[in-house]
Amino acid sequence: ELSGKMSVLNRLMSVMWRKQRGKERIVVISVYTQTLDLVERMCKGEKWPVVRLDGSLAVKKRMELVNAFNDPTNSNAFCFLLSSKAGGC
């Protein structure tokens, strides 16, 4: 069962996905990788395309990931999970 905040996020993302499939995207930023784990699990459960940038990703691969997510022709980009420690926020 989802917590209150996760339930709100799930509903928001569900609406975005249904109405704007492939046109709108969402970025979730967290200091806690455990939070990103939960959001990633939720996205995979809903079968929403998700990419993740955290400290485990090699620095060389980070820009490739960001560019792929920002590519308007990439239909496999919906949710970008970003660790604020890895992303430099």
Side-chain angles (χ1 to χ4, degrees):
E1 188 172 329
L2 298 174
S3 70
K5 291 176 186 176
M6 289 295 288
S7 180
V8 169
L9 180 62
N10 184 278
R11 284 193 305 255
L12 171 68
M13 291 175 70
S14 292
V15 169
M16 288 176 65
W17 181 250
R18 279 194 313 268
K19 290 187 176 187
Q20 300 292 327
R21 186 175 235 143
K23 295 179 184 175
E24 293 292 331
R25 296 170 185 193
I26 187 167
V27 177
V28 177
I29 302 170
S30 179
V31 173
Y32 304 105
T33 56
Q34 291 175 333
T35 301
L36 297 179
D37 294 341
L38 292 172
V39 177
E40 184 175 26
R41 198 170 349 162
M42 180 182 70
C43 289
K44 288 181 178 180
E46 297 286 348
K47 296 184 177 36
W48 297 328
V50 61
V51 293
R52 180 174 175 152
L53 192 160
D54 61 22
S56 67
L57 188 64
V59 175
K60 292 180 181 180
K61 295 285 186 184
R62 293 179 185 187
M63 200 63 210
E64 292 175 22
L65 189 67
V66 170
N67 289 337
F69 182 78
N70 287 328
D71 182 353
T73 64
N74 183 1
S75 62
N76 290 321
F78 173 62
C79 181
F80 190 95
L81 303 178
L82 176 63
S83 166
S84 60
K85 293 179 182 179
C89 290

